[in-house]
Amino acid sequence: MPRLADPDPNAIPADVRDVLSALPPDPMVKMLTHSVGTVNLFIQLARAQFTSLELPARSRELVILTVAEYTECEFVAAQHRPMSEAAGVGRATREIITSRDTDNPALSGHDRTLIRFTAEVVRSPRVPDDLFDEVRHLLSEREIVEVLQVIGYYWSFGRVATVLNVELTTVYGDEPLLTDETERAD
C-alpha cells in the first residue's frame, strides 16, 4: 500500500493537469504530482532520455536495469524489462544483471564495463580509476555524462517508488520506444 495518498486533483494547477492529461494513468506519475513544481520537469527529463541522448537505447536500458537491481526497485525493473528486450538486451544479459554477476564472461566487454560502472556509481560516490579508464575507452565524454544522468534519474525514480511503496499496476514496456533517427547500433 502506498505511503502517501493520491494528490488532491483540485490542488493540482491547470498547467500540470494539462501535461498529465496527455499521459496514460500511472501510479508513479500520480505520486510525483505531489511536487507540482517539479513533476513536469521530471517528465520532460524522462522524455529527453528517450529522444535526445547520444547513448544508444540498448546501453541506456542496460544502465536502467542495473540501477533497478542495485536500488532494489521492482517498479523500474518491471517497466524496463520489455523495453530492454525491444532495445536488444537479451534474456541472459537481464538475468546476469539480476544475479549481480558483473564479471560474468558471457557478457561482452562493452556490457560488462557499462554494468560494472553503473553498479559502482550506485554503490559508491567514487569510481576506481581503472574502471573509469575502461569507461573512457568505451564511451564518449558526452555518453559518460549521459550515463551518469540516467543513473541519477532512475536512482531518484526508484527511491520514490521504494520509499513511498508505489504499486506497480501496469507495465508500459509494450509501448513503442521513442528513439532518435540518428541512434547508433550497439
Side-chain angles (χ1 to χ4, degrees):
M1 176 169 200
R3 289 178 149 175
L4 299 178
D6 287 347
D8 176 1
N10 297 319
I12 300 171
D15 63 321
V16 174
R17 278 195 313 269
D18 289 344
V19 170
L20 298 179
S21 70
L23 301 173
D26 182 85
M28 180 60 93
V29 172
K30 279 185 187 175
M31 197 60 70
L32 292 170
T33 303
H34 279 291
S35 177
V36 295
T38 62
V39 67
N40 289 348
L41 297 169
F42 206 79
I43 292 166
Q44 288 172 3
L45 184 53
R47 283 185 182 135
Q49 292 177 356
F50 282 85
T51 62
S52 302
L53 298 183
E54 183 175 290
L55 187 70
R58 185 178 184 285
S59 296
R60 180 195 66 230
E61 291 302 322
L62 287 171
V63 169
I64 294 169
L65 289 176
T66 304
V67 172
E69 175 58 35
Y70 284 85
T71 59
E72 299 178 24
C73 184
E74 181 55 27
F75 190 102
V76 170
Q79 293 291 351
H80 283 272
R81 279 185 205 109
M83 287 188 237
S84 69
E85 185 174 2
V89 178
R91 182 179 188 166
T93 300
R94 291 192 307 274
E95 288 173 358
I96 290 169
I97 291 170
T98 301
S99 71
R100 298 186 182 198
D101 187 8
T102 59
D103 291 320
N104 191 308
L107 293 170
S108 70
H110 174 277
D111 290 1
R112 187 173 32 257
T113 299
L114 189 56
I115 292 165
R116 286 179 51 232
F117 180 73
T118 301
E120 190 63 29
V121 169
V122 172
R123 288 190 301 240
S124 175
R126 302 273 186 254
V127 174
D129 290 340
D130 60 334
L131 180 55
F132 189 77
D133 288 343
E134 286 180 47
V135 169
R136 283 190 73 118
H137 291 291
L138 180 72
L139 304 174
S140 69
E141 290 178 355
R142 175 179 171 172
E143 288 172 320
I144 292 169
V145 172
E146 289 174 351
V147 164
L148 292 168
Q149 289 174 337
V150 170
I151 292 168
Y153 179 87
Y154 281 94
W155 184 93
S156 175
F157 194 94
R159 284 299 170 252
V160 170
T162 58
V163 172
L164 299 179
N165 293 333
V166 177
E167 294 175 333
L168 178 63
T169 56
T170 305
V171 174
Y172 294 105
D174 293 331
E175 299 291 317
L177 285 175
L178 300 174
T179 57
D180 187 72
E181 291 179 359
T182 61
E183 185 175 295
R184 297 187 326 254
D186 279 313

